[in-house]
Amino acid sequence: MLYNLKLKFEFPNKESLKNVIKYGFAYSSERLLSRIFLLLYGVVASHMGTENYGIHTICYSVCLTLEIITNAYQATLMIKVPEGKTYEEQYNNCMNMRNKCFPLIITLNFVFAFIYLIISHGSLPLHKCFPYIICYSLGVFGLYPYETYKTLCITQGKSFILLIGSTIGVIIRFLICLLFINTSFALFVFGIVNFIDFYSRSIVYRIVLSKLYKKENLSIRRNGDETLNV
């Protein structure tokens, strides 16, 4: 069968393995770290009481489902952004796509938030999820820049930045939740903290990318000056 299909198995070469370790390790670690802290986020939320935890579970499940919208946006970015050959071109492609897609993404997010809530609220009275669902849905304002700068990090081959940003974001989320867990407005905080987490990550991505770009630019200029002097 394999002979008829003319399939050929090849072991990855050293360069391929090096790239997998270089880029894949940081990205995988970022995903793993995020999942661990999201589990802790759920554990902390369980201490809000039965009813509040039920409301949180419904609203957060809606929030997670809504990520398919920003994931689709990021998939589009992964097609369009690499068309640029330099950092400036890729950055401009990111910003153009961000500005064009923003109204559509925000509209879809809030429309589907209420649709998903109606479908998934179960035996929990629908009115008890308001206005908390709005706070949870605000996460899109953090996810949108997060996906934008995340794509730029990936296309620039700077996947280690993802790990740095995610570490800072999840720690901020966890600490805020611990700080407000016993307050009367804990549900509002647990909703808004999704926005804070992802927006914090996007800020880290943007700052580190900018500094690395300036550093690389400066290095290129210095090398150019040295060549001219020679």
Side-chain angles (χ1 to χ4, degrees):
M1 179 104 180
L2 291 175
Y3 175 78
N4 292 333
L5 292 174
K6 296 182 180 180
L7 296 177
K8 184 180 180 182
F9 178 80
E10 292 183 359
F11 286 100
N13 56 36
K14 289 183 179 180
E15 188 64 28
S16 299
L17 288 173
K18 184 179 178 182
N19 287 332
V20 168
I21 294 171
K22 182 179 178 181
Y23 302 115
F25 177 76
Y27 189 71
S28 299
S29 299
E30 184 264 341
R31 293 285 82 198
L32 178 62
L33 184 69
S34 293
R35 292 297 173 265
I36 290 172
F37 271 88
L38 285 179
L39 286 172
L40 293 174
Y41 171 64
V43 171
V44 175
S46 67
H47 289 81
M48 287 192 293
T50 304
E51 184 174 298
N52 283 350
Y53 182 61
I55 295 171
H56 163 77
T57 302
I58 296 299
C59 292
Y60 189 57
S61 68
V62 170
C63 183
L64 290 176
T65 307
L66 290 173
E67 287 186 14
I68 62 173
I69 298 172
T70 47
N71 286 342
Y73 162 69
Q74 199 258 340
T76 305
L77 286 177
M78 287 300 296
I79 296 171
K80 299 294 293 182
V81 173
E83 292 177 0
K85 303 302 180 184
T86 64
Y87 174 82
E88 294 97 328
E89 290 175 353
Q90 291 188 353
Y91 177 84
N92 289 334
N93 287 346
C94 262
M95 296 306 106
N96 288 336
M97 288 297 296
R98 183 189 68 174
N99 296 334
K100 287 179 181 177
C101 297
F102 184 75
L104 177 62
I105 297 297
I106 300 304
T107 302
L108 288 174
N109 180 80
F110 284 98
V111 168
F112 278 98
F114 293 109
I115 293 174
Y116 290 143
L117 180 62
I118 292 170
I119 294 171
S120 62
H121 73 90
S123 59
L124 185 71
L126 193 60
H127 70 273
K128 288 193 175 182
C129 294
F130 289 92
Y132 308 115
I133 187 60
I134 297 173
C135 295
Y136 281 82
S137 300
L138 291 176
V140 68
F141 291 102
L143 275 166
Y144 197 69
Y146 161 76
E147 296 290 4
T148 302
Y149 288 103
K150 172 185 170 183
T151 302
L152 196 55
C153 288
I154 294 171
T155 56
Q156 285 292 303
K158 304 290 193 300
S159 58
F160 69 92
I161 302 175
L162 302 180
L163 183 57
I164 298 170
S166 293
T167 301
I168 294 172
V170 293
I171 289 175
I172 291 173
R173 176 197 289 251
F174 187 61
L175 292 177
I176 291 175
C177 290
L178 282 179
L179 188 62
F180 292 97
I181 182 62
N182 293 319
T183 62
S184 58
F185 49 89
L187 270 173
F188 290 103
V189 174
F190 271 71
I192 295 172
V193 80
N194 292 294
F195 159 74
I196 296 173
D197 177 358
F198 288 106
Y199 193 71
S200 299
R201 299 185 196 197
S202 71
I203 291 173
V204 174
Y205 298 165
R206 182 173 58 189
I207 292 173
V208 177
L209 272 172
S210 177
K211 288 189 174 182
L212 287 175
Y213 170 67
K214 289 178 181 178
K215 186 177 179 180
E216 289 172 0
N217 243 3
L218 184 62
S219 178
I220 292 170
R221 287 177 184 175
R222 283 177 178 173
N223 290 335
D225 292 341
E226 288 174 3
T227 304
L228 289 174
N229 291 332
V230 171

